[in-house]
Amino acid sequence: MDSGRRRARILREAAALFIANGFSGVTMDDVQTAVGGSKATLYKYFSDKSDLFRSAVEMLIDERSQPLTSFHPSGGDPVETLKEFGRHFAAIVLDSGAIALHRLVTSEAERVDGLGQMFFQHGPAVGNAILGRYLGTLRDAGIIEVADPVLAASQLYQAMLGSLQMRLLMNTADRPTSQEIESSITHAVNTFVDGTRLRTPQPRAADATTR
């Protein structure tokens, strides 16, 4: 097995262990047992358990972010395109695996240096940038008015899916239904577009009487 495949296998086995047992519930011995070979092989690729943990989480979040980077909306009506973005995001971030990963990172972010920043840069920041670019095209076309498209993207995402994602993260009994997800996306997009759509200024009364 070549070096790249060996490292990938270590990360895959470690990721499964960390998701199931948390950071503190996994030792390098556990990973070695799952992977096989010697402990020296683990330390050839990773300096310690924190390094292995960060790398495993980075692999998982990159895999889950990949569908975002390859997403191409069908185009056409901006309102429907924004809803299409929302549905695509929902399929990724409301998935049970994504929720488990989010919980893991949240629980360990204070103990593992750099974990939270890495998760944000490889996850939410990717989605915000992609949606932000689309909002930027709408702004440049004179369809909406936003000062910061990436910030607006973050706010729109939270309006579409934030409360539903929180329900799943908190493991509430009332898991969102497909109808609730669609309703949340639709309401958020309609409110966002109504609040940012450019409107043609109407002439003031005084101006109208002087014509």
Side-chain angles (χ1 to χ4, degrees):
M1 184 180 296
D2 62 41
S3 179
R5 291 175 62 192
R6 168 68 68 177
R7 185 178 187 276
R9 185 184 175 199
I10 294 171
L11 287 175
R12 187 70 54 196
E13 296 289 352
L17 289 169
F18 285 129
I19 289 290
N21 304 298
F23 178 74
S24 61
V26 177
T27 67
M28 293 296 267
D29 287 335
D30 295 330
V31 178
Q32 179 196 351
T33 298
V35 174
S38 67
K39 191 179 292 187
T41 301
L42 294 182
Y43 288 105
K44 175 183 176 182
Y45 297 104
F46 308 100
S47 59
D48 55 24
K49 189 173 77 165
S50 292
D51 182 27
L52 174 58
F53 182 71
R54 278 191 303 270
S55 298
V57 170
E58 183 175 342
M59 175 197 68
L60 292 175
I61 191 63
D62 283 346
E63 287 180 348
R64 292 191 170 278
S65 296
Q66 195 280 328
L68 291 175
T69 62
S70 60
F71 177 61
H72 299 288
S74 57
D77 178 60
V79 173
E80 290 306 313
T81 299
L82 289 174
K83 292 177 185 177
E84 193 176 348
F85 268 105
R87 296 182 194 109
H88 188 70
F89 286 169
I92 295 170
V93 303
L94 301 183
D95 173 76
S96 59
I99 294 298
L101 179 59
H102 198 142
R103 287 175 181 156
L104 178 63
V105 171
T106 300
S107 67
E108 305 296 348
E110 288 190 6
R111 286 187 286 272
V112 181
D113 186 47
L115 178 65
Q117 182 178 6
M118 180 276 295
F119 181 85
F120 181 80
Q121 291 300 325
H122 287 250
V126 173
N128 291 342
I130 292 169
L131 180 55
R133 283 196 292 272
Y134 179 69
L135 295 182
T137 66
L138 297 183
R139 179 193 62 184
D140 295 343
I143 297 172
I144 64 173
E145 184 174 19
V146 292
D148 185 337
V150 175
L151 176 60
S154 174
Q155 294 169 337
L156 176 56
Y157 166 82
Q158 289 298 324
M160 289 190 294
L161 300 173
S163 64
L164 303 179
Q165 188 178 32
M166 182 60 67
R167 280 164 58 179
L168 292 172
L169 288 170
M170 296 296 102
N171 198 31
T172 62
D174 54 335
R175 297 178 62 83
T177 65
S178 57
Q179 291 83 2
E180 285 181 294
I181 294 170
E182 182 66 21
S183 176
S184 182
I185 291 170
T186 297
H187 181 76
V189 168
N190 290 341
T191 300
F192 174 82
V193 172
D194 286 345
T196 60
R197 193 190 304 273
L198 286 173
R199 294 172 174 81
T200 304
Q202 299 297 314
R204 292 177 299 178
D207 293 337
T209 56
T210 58
R211 293 180 182 176

